[in-house]
Amino acid sequence: MKSDWKKYIGPGPLVAAAFIGPGTVTVCTLAGVKFGNDLLWALGLSIIATIVLQEMAARIGLVTQEGLAAVISKTLKKGLLRYFSLFLILMAIVLGNAAYEAGNITGGAMGADLLVTVPVLTLGQLQLNLLNLSIGLIALGLLMSGSYSKIAGFLTGLVILMSLAFLASAIWVKPLFNSILAGFLPKIDSTNILTIVALIGTTVVPYNLFLHSSLVAKRWSKIEDLKYVRVDTIVAVVLGGIVSMAIIITSATGEAMEVNNAADLAIGLEPIMGVGAKYFIAFGLFAAGITSAITAPLAGSLVVVDCFGWSNDIRKMPMRISIVCILGLGLFFSSLGIKPVQLITFAQLANGILLPLLSAYILWLVNKKSVMQVNQNSLLLNIIGSAIWLVTLALGGMSIGKVLGWM
């Protein structure tokens, strides 16, 4: 019985850790402060979309025993579409993750800064943030350990503790049950549309699809394991979604009139939770930062090696060099207080194009008999998948519009 239970534990917690980063915590906090519980429905929609897309990506990984980027590279054998697709994937995932890594490290340090005071070293005109540097080095050390099981174990533990911290905060503030239920009734207008886009966009994450498919191929090898893959995926994404909802509920109940980041949330909650607010929010934000600081370079590196057909063994040089480059760039930006605005803007633009394109690729691949054999999509899954693709198309269009200043 014990061994059967272990079979259900896979890379799901890493997927949850990847999308619950400081960006998600901040977006959910701002959504709660500005709109109360009104946008819980948007998170519910994003959870469903994420489960469907992650299941299909994971199924591709299980059947092919390869990562999504490798499957796309091998399936699109020649022509402009192949080179455009691989270029877009590399630019969006690798450069994007390097830019977002700075936010992950900075966000984790922001949480730790609520609990401990660490001096900032001045090097000429540059300032070196030791908290940022410490988080980056912890992430690098774990990734350089060369063990997926150690990484998964560490992240699973942190995700559980992070989830408990945010869930405890949501329970402590004693929200009104009727207000939570009312939040699942869709409400869309000109004031909340960009926040809705941000909430869905921070949950349906392109790099998670690549990460999940690659790690599933390493964790399971038989098609009979598909039931374990699905349970692992659903539990992890639902847990992540509940944590995001808990952040919205907590911030909606707090007394903060204006919150610029998740750290400000602790101040607004102090009248309700007392000094405990600082500890819960600080640990939650720190855990969100450090877990995403580990998964972002891991996912980006898997994409690099899969696109070029190199080994995805984390102990081999191609993976290690890719990890050091992505994490190192994020650490450089964050530790020296540099804001890679242009890089982030480009990554948002590329992701706006990549998300609907990647969703279309996944739908195409899971219906391709030469790839999936007898494990193709059912009619119902194709209908649901097509509806989700339309959502990603709208989401991508809005993201591009936001970057270009059209919205």
Side-chain angles (χ1 to χ4, degrees):
M1 182 67 78
K2 187 176 180 181
S3 60
D4 286 344
W5 176 77
K6 286 185 176 180
K7 287 181 181 178
Y8 287 96
I9 302 177
L14 276 73
V15 173
F19 78 75
I20 309 176
T24 300
V25 175
T26 301
V27 167
C28 291
T29 298
L30 296 175
V33 170
K34 291 180 180 178
F35 305 105
N37 294 320
D38 286 354
L39 299 184
L40 287 174
W41 67 269
L43 269 180
L45 176 65
S46 66
I47 291 169
I48 294 170
T50 302
I51 288 173
V52 173
L53 288 173
Q54 294 289 164
E55 187 278 336
M56 289 192 287
R59 189 158 24 110
I60 291 169
L62 179 65
V63 173
T64 64
Q65 285 296 287
E66 291 186 302
L68 189 56
V71 176
I72 291 174
S73 178
K74 289 181 179 179
T75 309
L76 299 174
K77 295 181 179 178
K78 58 183 178 179
L80 184 61
L81 182 60
R82 167 186 167 80
Y83 297 110
F84 170 75
S85 301
L86 293 180
F87 173 79
L88 185 63
I89 288 170
L90 285 169
M91 291 301 100
I93 302 300
V94 178
L95 286 182
N97 281 14
Y100 296 140
E101 182 70 350
N104 294 331
I105 293 171
T106 302
M110 190 185 299
D113 195 47
L114 290 171
L115 302 177
V116 296
T117 301
V118 176
V120 176
L121 296 181
T122 302
L123 305 172
Q125 294 182 335
L126 299 176
Q127 290 187 325
L128 182 63
N129 189 311
L130 292 182
L131 269 179
N132 290 3
L133 184 61
S134 299
I135 289 175
L137 291 177
I138 290 171
L140 182 62
L142 191 61
L143 289 167
M144 290 295 106
S145 71
S147 171
Y148 281 108
S149 60
K150 285 183 181 178
I151 295 169
F154 178 81
L155 290 179
T156 299
L158 264 186
V159 166
I160 291 172
L161 292 175
M162 173 180 66
S163 302
L164 291 175
F166 284 124
L167 288 172
S169 300
I171 294 169
W172 199 335
V173 297
K174 298 178 181 178
L176 296 175
F177 186 67
N178 289 340
S179 173
I180 294 175
L181 284 181
F184 288 96
L185 298 174
K187 306 174 185 70
I188 304 176
D189 56 47
S190 59
T191 63
N192 65 17
I193 185 65
L194 288 180
T195 305
I196 291 170
V197 170
L199 283 172
I200 299 175
T202 198
T203 308
V204 186
V205 184
Y207 85 72
N208 249 348
L209 298 166
F210 294 102
L211 177 67
H212 200 184
S213 60
S214 293
L215 295 182
V216 162
K218 291 182 176 297
R219 173 66 179 86
W220 291 287
S221 58
K222 300 176 182 177
I223 196 58
E224 291 79 14
D225 295 330
L226 183 57
K227 60 182 178 181
Y228 304 127
V229 175
R230 285 173 168 160
V231 171
D232 178 60
T233 300
I234 293 170
V235 170
V237 175
V238 169
L239 174 63
I242 291 173
V243 170
S244 297
M245 289 180 182
I247 298 168
I248 287 183
I249 292 168
T250 303
S251 55
T253 313
E255 297 185 7
M257 297 303 294
E258 183 178 351
V259 174
N260 294 314
N261 55 56
D264 292 344
L265 178 59
I267 299 171
L269 289 173
E270 281 185 0
I272 301 172
M273 297 174 63
V275 70
K278 180 174 76 170
Y279 295 103
F280 280 110
I281 300 303
F283 179 78
L285 187 56
F286 167 75
I290 197 168
T291 52
S292 291
I294 294 167
T295 55
L298 178 60
S301 301
L302 286 168
V303 168
V304 171
V305 297
D306 280 350
C307 281
F308 289 103
W310 299 331
S311 170
N312 63 5
D313 187 334
I314 198 169
R315 295 166 297 183
K316 297 292 179 64
M317 202 55 68
M319 277 291 291
R320 288 179 177 268
I321 292 174
S322 301
I323 286 170
V324 169
C325 288
I326 295 172
L327 197 152
L329 193 56
L331 188 58
F332 175 74
F333 287 141
S334 63
S335 295
L336 299 180
I338 300 170
K339 296 181 179 179
V341 177
Q342 291 182 327
L343 199 57
I344 290 175
T345 299
F346 176 80
Q348 288 175 332
L349 185 63
N351 271 324
I353 301 170
L354 178 62
L355 183 57
L357 186 62
L358 183 58
S359 302
Y361 279 150
I362 289 173
L363 268 174
W364 173 59
L365 288 171
V366 292
N367 283 286
K368 196 173 177 62
K369 193 171 183 179
S370 61
V371 174
M372 301 302 294
Q373 301 165 23
V374 296
N375 299 285
Q376 297 163 274
N377 261 10
S378 64
L379 176 61
L380 178 61
L381 270 177
N382 277 331
I383 293 171
I384 296 172
S386 298
I388 290 171
W389 177 76
L390 290 174
V391 171
T392 65
L393 187 63
L395 181 65
M398 290 178 181
S399 299
I400 293 169
K402 184 180 178 183
V403 171
L404 298 179
W406 298 342
M407 296 186 66

